[in-house]
Amino acid sequence: MKEVAVIGIGQTKIDEHWDKSLRDLAGDAALSALMDSGLEKVAALYVGNMMSGSANRQQHLGAYIADWIGLRGIEAIRLEAACSSGAASFRTAVMAVASGEVDSALVVGVEKMTDSPLQEVTAALATAADADWEAGQGLSFVALNALIMNRYMHEYGWKKEHFAPFAVNAHTNAIHNPFARFHEPATIENYLKAPMINDPINLMDASPVGDGAAAAVLLPLESLHNPSHKKIIKVAASAAATDSIAIHHRKDPLFLRAAYNSGKKAYDQAGLNPSDIDLFELHDAFSIMAALSLEANGFAERGQGPRLALDNEILPTGRIPIATRGGLKARGHPVGATGMYQIVEVVQQLRGEAFGTQVENARVGMSQNIGGSGSNIITHIFQLI
Ligand code: COA
């Protein structure tokens, strides 16, 4: 297999983009990634998206976007893996380029959620859960995560306020990210006063819905003999794993087994371990997911995720910076696009372009995208060479 490099990145601001269509958003991110790469054309396009069929009445995003960006004729498909659709499309592109099947690839994650009323979006999100045992019983994603967070607090003795640093770090970092949904500072007081959505999850524990797209261009590393573009970022690992769709089918609902398995495969592929990771763009759709991700990937002991946050170890200056550009919590979570935002942000960090929240001397970054409540988890490790 060939080694693969990311040579171009692009993204749109996450917002309520009522004046832009799905193809406008995807096109803006894709064309800026192509421009950044210096390429005009690629052999294949992979699109990550979760809900365009219900939210935008538009499927068939491969041909739809290839045509819009002037690449009519190339191979193009859309991939769906709930909230991990973005990373799933990136991993598919990595495999295609690594195998030699295509000599270049463009990946776009896109989602446009805010044209629909929140009730419809909530129902569409719930299709990522088990229709019979979870969604069919009225459980939304907020409710599912509230069950997990309640259990976690009960088992490990944490209080609600101990989760505040996750939200405060994310919102503080997002202030420096022009592409982020929110730019207002957050404090522990804001966190404690935020309206409750589903006890114990309040507004400051939850990621917002939003519209946005993020993209990357991939080439085989061997083709970059005389690179005229920016620093070269190698894909050091790409790995995926699944768990049960329904939470109650897990032996231990407080352990993200698929995160552990895909993380372990990724560490093994890259020949690295958690102490080598300079920053981690994790899937903080809810603050409880940030805590569980830190634990499953070897950055904290079981039950001790909040400790890292309380000790400031998750800040850009800490031992394992997370949500460095705002994370899902404050940069935003346009579900099928999120995995690509995470990857774009890791690349920015490794290139030294994460203005305002740059992690000093960052050489190795990891991204992990979670589909469902932990049922499909895709991990990538990137290295500056
Ligand atoms: N964090 C902080 N502020 C938020 C926010 C969030 N997650 N979501 C919305 N806001 C702010 C808005 O900016 C707005 O502020 P303003 O009044 O100053 O303009 C206010 O809260 C109300 O915004 P609105 O868009 O009306 O929120 P909402 O009540 O319709 O929805 C949530 C808020 C959190 C319920 C909704 O975003 C949600 O369901 N999130 C979870 C999505 C999810 O489950 N994703 C899948 C995860 S796997």
Side-chain angles (χ1 to χ4, degrees):
M1 297 285 258
K2 299 177 187 193
E3 293 194 298
V4 178
V6 180
I7 62 151
I9 51 173
Q11 59 187 318
T12 71
K13 180 176 174 359
I14 297 177
D15 217 327
E16 295 186 16
H17 284 294
W18 293 348
D19 56 338
K20 283 184 187 268
S21 70
L22 194 67
R23 68 179 128 206
D24 289 327
L25 291 170
D28 289 355
L31 293 175
S32 68
L34 280 170
M35 195 179 294
D36 186 46
S37 75
L39 298 184
E40 285 181 2
K41 201 169 173 351
V42 286
L45 168 68
Y46 301 91
V47 181
N49 172 268
M50 176 179 170
M51 56 172 70
S52 71
S54 59
N56 317 109
R57 306 285 183 267
Q58 178 68 61
Q59 297 276 35
H60 207 177
L61 299 192
Y64 171 77
I65 293 166
D67 194 19
W68 179 247
I69 61 176
L71 295 182
R72 189 184 300 172
I74 66 164
E75 168 180 347
I77 52 165
R78 167 257 182 119
L79 292 110
E80 186 276 320
C83 297
S84 59
S85 300
S89 58
F90 186 84
R91 176 163 161 70
T92 305
V94 169
M95 291 189 290
V97 174
S99 70
E101 184 65 25
V102 300
D103 63 10
S104 55
L106 170 63
V107 190
V108 189
V110 62
E111 204 76 67
K112 184 154 170 54
M113 305 169 82
T114 69
D115 288 351
S116 313
L118 188 63
Q119 300 91 306
E120 282 179 24
V121 174
T122 301
L125 287 169
T127 62
D130 191 299
D132 295 329
W133 284 309
E134 295 178 326
Q137 311 302 322
L139 282 166
S140 67
F141 257 89
V142 185
L144 286 165
N145 281 272
L147 289 173
I148 298 174
M149 186 168 169
N150 254 326
R151 187 73 203 172
Y152 184 90
M153 288 161 66
H154 171 78
E155 290 289 338
Y156 296 110
W158 296 108
K159 301 267 182 293
K160 168 123 187 81
E161 59 266 30
H162 297 137
F163 292 83
F166 289 114
V168 174
N169 172 58
H171 279 271
T172 306
N173 293 341
I175 291 170
H176 302 280
N177 179 2
F179 300 102
R181 175 99 157 83
F182 296 127
H183 292 112
E184 297 76 27
T187 60
I188 293 180
E189 289 68 42
N190 298 143
Y191 178 84
L192 294 175
K193 284 191 197 148
M196 191 57 76
I197 308 172
N198 194 316
D199 193 9
I201 291 183
N202 70 20
L203 192 66
M204 293 300 278
D205 287 304
S207 55
V209 301
D211 311 331
V217 177
L218 304 181
L219 281 184
L221 192 58
E222 66 189 21
S223 67
L224 302 175
H225 301 302
N226 186 13
S228 56
H229 49 76
K230 324 250 167 28
K231 294 171 177 170
I232 298 174
I233 309 301
K234 182 175 97 168
V235 183
S238 173
T242 54
D243 200 345
S244 67
I245 282 238
I247 296 172
H248 71 270
H249 277 152
R250 295 179 200 159
K251 210 169 179 178
D252 181 353
L254 299 184
F255 185 60
L256 292 176
R257 181 148 304 279
Y260 172 82
N261 285 335
S262 75
K264 177 158 187 350
K265 280 194 247 180
Y267 290 139
D268 290 349
Q269 266 178 38
L272 299 171
N273 62 55
S275 64
D276 298 310
I277 306 298
D278 296 319
L279 70 130
F280 180 25
E281 288 304 331
L282 50 63
H283 195 94
D284 55 332
F286 299 96
S287 42
I288 182 64
M289 278 295 136
L292 295 181
S293 299
L294 287 167
E295 295 168 22
N297 288 287
F299 298 108
E301 296 293 321
R302 293 289 310 273
Q304 296 306 310
R307 183 78 268 151
L308 273 187
L310 289 162
D311 289 346
N312 290 332
E313 297 290 14
I314 61 166
L315 306 187
T317 49
R319 153 68 202 101
I320 184 67
I322 64 170
T324 67
R325 307 302 284 158
L328 280 63
K329 172 69 199 79
R331 168 246 291 135
H333 184 25
V335 285
T338 290
M340 287 307 299
Y341 276 96
Q342 295 174 310
I343 287 168
V344 163
E345 291 163 357
V346 172
V347 171
Q348 285 183 316
Q349 284 284 1
L350 301 185
R351 283 179 175 182
E353 295 172 358
F355 307 110
T357 56
Q358 180 63 50
V359 174
E360 224 174 294
N361 301 320
R363 297 194 66 82
V364 180
M366 182 157 107
S367 62
Q368 190 171 70
N369 198 192
I370 301 184
S373 53
S375 37
N376 199 343
I377 305 193
I378 303 174
T379 309
H380 287 97
I381 297 178
F382 299 88
Q383 214 162 6
L384 173 66
I385 55 172

